[in-house]
Amino acid sequence: MKKAFRIIAFLMLAVMLVSMFVACDPDTDKTTEPTGNKTAQPTGTAGNNDIPEKFKGLDFEEEDIGIIMCGGELATRSITLPEEGDETYSVNVAVKTRNDTIEDLLNVKITPKETVAMQDMVGHMREYFNSPDTSYDIVGVYQYFDMGLAFGDDAGSFFNYNDIEEDEMFLDPTADYWDEDCYNTLSYEGASFWITGDLSQTWLSTIFVSYVNAEMWKEYEDKIEAITGFDGDIYDLVYEGKWTIDLWLQLNELVHINQDGNDATVSPDDQHGFVGYNSESNINNIIVDGMFSGCHVTFSKIGSDGVPVMDYNNKNLKTYVDQTRKLYNESKSCTVVYNGDMTAMDIFASGKSLMTVNTLAEAELSLADMTADYYILPPPKANEAQKDYATTVGDGTNQFGIPKTCENIGAATATLEALGYFSKKIVTPEYYDNALKGRYTRGDSEKAANMIDFVRSKIYYDFVLMWTGSMSESVSWYLRKNIGSNVISSEALIKQQTWGRQLGFLLEDLEDSTGVEI
């Protein structure tokens, strides 16, 4: 009776949410809590009638499920409240409600063990694997740096989900709270070490989107209609397939105003069309990732024998190179940021730029204090000849695995599955539907929220892009460093051969983990 009462008490928290404002301290890059009404409760429901049969009757006798996470607060908030987090903030309430529900349902204890910086995870885990410690049952890694922990020098350190005995395997990668396309793309020759989905707030927020200054757009709306020949609003313009780099080039010219007295160059002090990073910036230029994903650039394809091969010299890449060269070098209203005090998102937030590309998370991390309203749209297509819009998740997405040191694999897979299931029920309505779609669209309209769903429906995955951090030279970093340059096209065939060898080394490492020889 006591347990039943506790479950009911926790589930009663699942009522309507009032949307929250989220702010960020740019000096610390730490998410701060919202400043509005903080008494909201989560909207998700987890009634007993909705619980899958596989969870019913499970009792793991208060098994401690130790979880280690890599990344910042968007990552760790997937599992538990941030340090000194506001316990009344609706997303935090939802996370706590989910965890309490699972602990009562499965009779486990969800225990966050440590948070590790993204570039320290590999070293930390290797020390752990060489120690007698067995306290980690679930590991949340950073996609770019850490997925290689499952192979190479660390082969055999994580469970292959496909090899876990049936009576201990509660995960269902085909369920709608996991990303099956991502899971299948990461899998190789029957080996699947990583899974992501609703459990990861980074999966919900690292998709690439366009940001558009709504006030500047409305100021030029009549002239934009004259350029496009389309008299609908900006959302309808997107649905008509007209949101393209070709259009951006025209918009750059339209909105440019020289405000710094120097007509020879475009600076952050001018009013300009697009703000991005220069090839010499030597920074984590994820704006480029968003641009090439919008053009549906891929780096590999699956050969006739089922094995991935490099496909870097493809039509989409060439179109992307041509279009971004025009954007960066032939448009008088593209401003670029070098290493300095201001980021591209700082400049966009200042209201000087009409457009940029970044992850959806940046609305929370960088734009909470932006004065002007903004639209969130898909990254631009290369041109209207491109069949459809496209985007992908950023390489900071968290993937979840179970280390071989786990002493109760059944409890771990059941807890991980429940975390995915109840995240979909309880946390996603708070973070995605209300914070991301409500807060970030600033109540503009139902069309604004629907547009974010539209962008998510255009996600694609590429084997090499997802495993690029495990290759000796990252293909995405190559594009970042050469944005706006012809060198990408001229060296494509040479690079394809070089990366083909690197892909071969990657596949050999994966084969060591699968036990399969090709």
Side-chain angles (χ1 to χ4, degrees):
M1 287 293 295
K2 184 177 180 181
K3 178 185 286 189
F5 176 80
R6 289 177 64 196
I7 292 176
I8 293 171
F10 287 124
L11 299 182
M12 287 177 65
L13 291 173
V15 296
M16 290 300 296
L17 168 79
V18 177
S19 296
M20 293 294 142
F21 281 87
V22 182
C24 173
D25 179 351
D27 295 327
T28 61
D29 195 31
K30 286 190 175 181
T31 303
T32 58
E33 299 303 337
T35 57
N37 178 359
K38 298 181 181 180
T39 60
Q41 305 294 331
T43 60
T45 59
N48 286 326
N49 292 334
D50 294 328
I51 296 173
E53 287 296 325
K54 61 184 169 185
F55 292 141
K56 295 179 180 178
L58 294 179
D59 186 339
F60 292 105
E61 300 178 349
E62 298 185 349
E63 181 77 30
D64 186 85
I65 306 297
I67 303 177
I68 179 172
M69 289 293 298
C70 174
E73 287 192 3
L74 286 180
T76 55
R77 196 174 66 188
S78 300
I79 298 297
T80 189
L81 276 62
E83 290 185 15
E84 302 179 358
D86 183 350
E87 294 185 3
T88 66
Y89 173 38
S90 62
V91 177
N92 291 343
V93 171
V95 170
K96 185 178 186 301
T97 301
R98 178 202 64 194
N99 288 5
D100 290 339
T101 300
I102 294 169
E103 289 183 342
D104 280 306
L105 179 66
L106 301 180
N107 195 12
V108 296
K109 178 65 176 176
I110 297 172
T111 306
K113 294 290 185 179
E114 293 178 78
T115 301
V116 179
M118 62 184 183
Q119 291 176 307
D120 297 335
M121 189 65 154
V122 170
H124 180 89
M125 290 304 300
R126 284 177 178 166
E127 288 183 9
Y128 169 80
F129 290 136
N130 290 314
S131 75
D133 191 359
T134 60
S135 61
Y136 301 157
D137 299 290
I138 297 172
V139 179
V141 303
Y142 182 90
Q143 181 176 299
Y144 183 87
F145 288 109
D146 303 329
M147 294 194 308
L149 278 167
F151 64 85
D153 293 339
D154 307 291
S157 56
F158 283 83
F159 279 100
N160 175 0
Y161 289 131
N162 296 326
D163 286 345
I164 297 174
E165 296 294 331
E166 185 176 353
D167 61 343
E168 294 184 308
M169 180 56 173
F170 292 95
L171 280 174
D172 178 10
T174 67
D176 64 359
Y177 39 86
W178 298 121
D179 189 331
E180 187 179 7
D181 289 342
C182 179
Y183 181 86
N184 290 337
T185 302
L186 287 174
S187 300
Y188 181 70
E189 291 296 318
S192 299
F193 302 104
W194 307 113
I195 195 167
T196 195
D198 282 80
L199 169 58
S200 171
Q201 289 183 28
T202 55
W203 175 78
L204 290 167
S205 63
T206 64
I207 60 169
F208 291 103
V209 298
S210 297
Y211 290 99
V212 182
N213 184 311
E215 294 180 11
M216 197 183 302
W217 179 274
K218 291 173 183 175
E219 180 182 350
Y220 290 90
E221 201 158 32
D222 290 344
K223 293 181 179 179
I224 293 171
E225 288 180 4
I227 289 173
T228 62
F230 186 78
D231 61 1
D233 64 20
I234 193 170
Y235 302 111
D236 292 333
L237 183 79
V238 171
Y239 292 129
E240 286 293 316
K242 295 181 178 296
W243 187 242
T244 67
I245 296 178
D246 278 342
L247 176 60
W248 279 34
L249 292 167
Q250 297 177 77
L251 296 178
N252 277 352
E253 304 298 315
L254 175 65
V255 306
H256 176 66
I257 299 177
N258 176 27
Q259 294 178 327
D260 65 355
N262 182 354
D263 207 22
T265 61
V266 181
S267 81
D269 293 325
D270 293 340
Q271 177 176 293
H272 48 268
F274 168 71
V275 58
Y277 292 109
N278 187 273
S279 59
E280 300 173 8
S281 299
N282 195 30
I283 58 177
N284 189 9
N285 192 353
I286 62 172
I287 288 177
V288 173
D289 296 12
M291 293 296 291
F292 72 65
S293 73
C295 297
H296 206 145
V297 171
T298 57
F299 302 94
S300 62
K301 62 183 179 181
I302 304 301
S304 58
D305 56 358
V307 178
V309 295
M310 290 302 301
D311 185 31
Y312 191 63
N313 189 25
N314 57 51
K315 179 180 178 181
N316 288 7
L317 173 66
K318 290 182 176 179
T319 304
Y320 157 81
V321 170
D322 290 341
Q323 294 292 76
T324 54
R325 187 189 69 252
K326 294 176 186 175
L327 185 67
Y328 270 71
N329 301 330
E330 298 178 16
S331 171
K332 73 177 184 182
S333 190
C334 166
T335 191
V336 294
V337 181
Y338 297 85
N339 294 331
D341 295 332
M342 293 188 74
T343 68
M345 294 307 292
D346 291 335
I347 294 173
F348 180 81
S350 75
K352 294 288 188 179
S353 180
L354 176 63
M355 304 169 297
T356 192
V357 173
N358 216 302
T359 64
L360 182 58
E362 286 301 310
E364 175 177 354
L365 298 176
S366 300
L367 303 182
D369 296 325
M370 182 173 174
T371 302
D373 285 342
Y374 50 84
Y375 300 114
I376 297 177
L377 310 176
K381 297 191 298 181
N383 47 46
E384 289 192 46
Q386 183 176 320
K387 291 183 179 179
D388 201 0
Y389 297 100
T391 190
T392 191
V393 296
D395 57 22
T397 300
N398 288 114
Q399 302 281 346
F400 297 89
I402 299 176
K404 287 287 186 70
T405 55
C406 175
E407 296 178 330
N408 190 332
I409 185 64
T413 61
T415 302
L416 185 55
E417 178 77 351
L419 283 166
Y421 175 81
F422 286 108
S423 291
K424 178 79 170 184
K425 289 282 186 180
I426 299 173
V427 181
T428 294
E430 304 311 317
Y431 183 57
Y432 178 60
D433 292 329
N434 293 315
L436 293 181
K437 289 168 58 179
R439 158 70 181 105
Y440 295 175
T441 55
R442 301 193 172 195
D444 181 79
S445 67
E446 185 178 351
K447 280 188 174 183
N450 290 341
M451 179 58 66
I452 295 181
D453 285 334
F454 176 78
V455 178
R456 286 203 67 87
S457 72
K458 305 303 178 183
I459 292 175
Y460 73 94
Y461 293 104
D462 175 82
F463 184 89
V464 165
L465 182 58
M466 296 197 73
W467 284 104
T468 187
S470 300
M471 296 172 65
S472 58
E473 183 181 4
S474 163
V475 292
S476 56
W477 268 96
Y478 180 74
L479 291 190
R480 292 177 185 181
K481 291 186 292 185
N482 292 287
I483 182 67
S485 169
N486 284 324
V487 71
I488 299 174
S489 292
S490 62
E491 292 186 357
L493 290 174
I494 298 173
K495 282 292 179 182
Q496 181 161 308
Q497 294 171 1
T498 302
W499 281 321
R501 289 192 295 271
Q502 294 179 18
L503 175 58
F505 297 144
L506 168 63
L507 297 180
E508 287 177 6
D509 282 337
L510 290 172
E511 289 159 18
D512 289 340
S513 296
T514 64
V516 174
E517 293 185 3
I518 297 180

